[in-house]
Amino acid sequence: MRIRFVFLAMVVGMINLAHAGSDISDKQVRAWVTEGRILPFEEIYARNKDRLSGHLLDLEIEEEHGRIVYEAELLDANGDVWELYIDAVTGEVVKEEQDD
Amino acid sequence: MMTVSIRNQLSRSLIIALCVTMGALLVVINWGVGQISQEYILSRLKHDAESIVAALEQDPLSQSWQLSPRGASNVYQRALSGHYYLLSGPDIEIRSRSLWDYPVSFDRLTKGQENSFQMPGANDQHWLVWQQAFSKNDTLFTLTIIEDSAPLDALKWRYTLWAILVVALGATALFFMQQWSLTRNFRYLDSVRKKIQAFRYSEEKPDLSGMPSELAPLADDIDKLLQQLKQRVSHSRNALGNLAHEIKRPLQRLQQLQDESEMEFGADIKGLLNDIQWLIQREMKRARIVGVSSPGRQTDLLIDLPPVINILGKLYPAVRIETDFSSEHILPQDRDDMLELIGNLLDNACKYAMSEVDLSTAVVDNQLMIRIRDDGKGLPQESIERLMLRGQRLDEREEGAGLGLSICSDIVESYRGRLTLENREPHGIEVTIGLPLR
């Protein structure tokens, strides 16, 4: 039973991963914000102003293991491009990594 | 009454003029740069609007409106890129992806209407909005295009800041240049003042030429005034001198007559005559003091004294007059006073001398010492003490000697100096005058 649950979760996860590659549209995002499922980006920006203060290149949103995560692409003052992962529900930075 | 200062007035008007013009300049720069950047952004927005209008098409099957992918540039795709559009028609609203989840809505316009305004936007951006209403296939749309003008606004303020800096530096430089120029021009007035001061101690007319044309009339007037003052002083001196001189003989004659005749009020008349003589002396002394404070003239013993010595040499051929001015021959005191003082003393000395009279000058402790010695018989100590009292005559027959010494005392006193008379060894009299130097 436990094994089956893990397997099921893996399958769902795989589906989710597959889904993550495709872009969730801005329309969907707006719908989620209206439903109150995620925070409006304005709110996320206000909370992480110091980290997002570089040149924001683009935003993408992904659903990963049932968690909705913002992927912000930033160009900092040194010329480095960073990817900042922010939890769209709590507004907390999940991880930060330099783009390859 | 408040004193008027040309410097303060000019400085104040310059500061006001600078503040007004520079302030206006800064406002124009700030407004102009803002206007230029805004117009620039608007022209770009209008071009983008044309592309979007062109890309808007109706699906022939579903009759729904959509934008063809080639329509708008990539900046409208990247989330919160600072470039946005919003196309609203009947039952349809097409937002650029870049708007992301930012809640925004605009009033619809009527056909052909255009509109532009500024508003605060997402992520601290300053939005410059341009709106246009158009109709395609009989359907009315309102297109709203937005660009973030925050970077250009920052640039505008940076240029304004630079302009403030330049203007402040320029204004300061102008102010100091004006001060410098004022100081330089007022220096001419200082030179006039110095020349006029110098005139008090010499008879040379100050050279007031070379003034700026604005000051030339003033210099001219001062020149004329000095000339007039000089004339007046010499007129009044001459008049007083003449009067004293003319009145001297009748007075002496009166005194003689009074001495010779036995009159009822003899003592009274003698007293009155003495009073008259004293009054004349006092007025002459006053005139001399006035002379010192008005354009007077210093005394150069080497030039002014020889004529006096010449006359004395003729009057007293048996007496040789020796002079020694090696230490000082220019006296800052008035020439007429000094000649009267030294002349009188020399005259007295010659009268009593056997063969030689000695005149020398020295400067001791900021005092000018004039020493006159003769080799006569000298005087008894009590006569010396009596002589030092004013107006006492030593020898009735040689009239004028006592009066001479009294005038000398007055002159010396008018310069706050000191006159001493003493016997010298082995015989003769030594008169020493100490006059303080300025």
Side-chain angles (χ1 to χ4, degrees), chain B residues 298-351:
Chain B
Q298 62 184 19
T299 316
D300 187 344
L301 294 177
L302 287 180
I303 296 167
D304 298 326
L305 211 52
V308 177
I309 291 174
N310 227 351
I311 294 168
L312 288 173
K314 281 173 189 159
L315 282 172
Y316 307 97
V319 180
R320 199 173 69 250
I321 300 172
E322 292 286 331
T323 55
D324 174 14
F325 305 134
S326 54
S327 113
E328 188 61 71
H329 64 89
I330 306 267
L331 313 186
Q333 285 82 7
D334 183 77
R335 186 182 62 160
D336 294 353
D337 285 348
M338 289 302 109
L339 286 185
E340 182 157 16
L341 175 64
I342 297 171
N344 258 316
L345 292 174
L346 278 179
D347 188 27
N348 283 346
C350 287
K351 237 175 263 176

Side-chain angles (χ1 to χ4, degrees), chain B residues 251 254-255 258 265-280:
Chain B
L251 263 181
L254 269 176
Q255 262 168 344
Q258 195 271 328
F265 307 108
D268 287 349
I269 292 173
K270 190 175 176 138
L272 286 172
L273 286 173
N274 279 341
D275 281 354
I276 293 171
Q277 212 152 27
W278 182 78
L279 283 172
I280 291 167

Side-chain angles (χ1 to χ4, degrees), chain A residues 30 41 49 57-59 70, chain B residues 78-79 97 100-101 124:
Chain A
R30 256 183 300 140
F41 188 74
K49 217 169 202 173
L57 295 175
D58 202 0
L59 283 178
Y70 262 116
Chain B
R78 291 193 292 105
R97 181 180 177 272
W100 203 244
D101 65 335
D124 301 329

Side-chain angles (χ1 to χ4, degrees), chain B residues 285-436:
Chain B
K285 192 175 117 186
R286 272 194 194 159
R288 275 186 210 107
I289 295 165
V290 169
V292 170
S293 59
S294 58
R297 199 183 122 172
Q298 62 184 19
T299 316
D300 187 344
L301 294 177
L302 287 180
I303 296 167
D304 298 326
L305 211 52
V308 177
I309 291 174
N310 227 351
I311 294 168
L312 288 173
K314 281 173 189 159
L315 282 172
Y316 307 97
V319 180
R320 199 173 69 250
I321 300 172
E322 292 286 331
T323 55
D324 174 14
F325 305 134
S326 54
S327 113
E328 188 61 71
H329 64 89
I330 306 267
L331 313 186
Q333 285 82 7
D334 183 77
R335 186 182 62 160
D336 294 353
D337 285 348
M338 289 302 109
L339 286 185
E340 182 157 16
L341 175 64
I342 297 171
N344 258 316
L345 292 174
L346 278 179
D347 188 27
N348 283 346
C350 287
K351 237 175 263 176
Y352 292 101
M354 314 273 278
S355 64
E356 194 179 302
V357 168
D358 222 22
L359 170 65
S360 66
T361 55
V363 176
V364 181
D365 293 338
N366 206 30
Q367 272 215 327
L368 176 73
M369 311 297 291
I370 303 169
R371 200 179 55 185
I372 296 162
R373 299 195 292 197
D374 64 63
D375 57 352
K377 289 175 296 197
L379 292 164
Q381 194 55 40
E382 57 164 277
S383 304
I384 287 179
E385 277 161 21
R386 209 149 43 82
L387 264 174
M388 293 309 290
L389 301 170
R390 74 174 45 219
Q392 293 286 341
R393 259 191 238 184
L394 184 61
D395 186 344
E396 294 282 341
R397 278 173 305 157
E398 292 187 74
E399 60 189 37
L403 183 63
L405 202 56
S406 156
I407 289 175
C408 290
S409 304
D410 287 345
I411 294 172
V412 171
E413 269 168 36
S414 77
Y415 287 103
R416 296 170 192 279
R418 223 158 47 84
L419 188 149
T420 56
L421 190 73
E422 58 194 355
N423 279 319
R424 56 187 281 243
E425 292 299 322
H427 49 81
I429 295 174
E430 177 173 312
V431 181
T432 313
I433 301 158
L435 298 174

Side-chain angles (χ1 to χ4, degrees), chain A residues 45-61:
Chain A
Y45 178 82
R47 285 189 196 182
N48 301 284
K49 217 169 202 173
D50 49 333
R51 316 239 353 212
L52 287 167
S53 62
H55 208 303
L56 182 64
L57 295 175
D58 202 0
L59 283 178
E60 272 170 29
I61 198 154

Side-chain angles (χ1 to χ4, degrees), chain B residues 33 48-49 60 88 96 107 131 133 155 169 203 221 225 242 253 256 277 295 318 320 355 406-408:
Chain B
V33 171
D48 283 4
S88 38
S96 66
D107 293 339
Q131 286 188 291
L155 208 62
L169 283 176
E203 208 151 88
D221 281 351
L225 199 65
N242 288 343
R253 183 79 191 121
Q256 265 176 4
Q277 212 152 27
R320 199 173 69 250
S355 64
S406 156
I407 289 175
C408 290

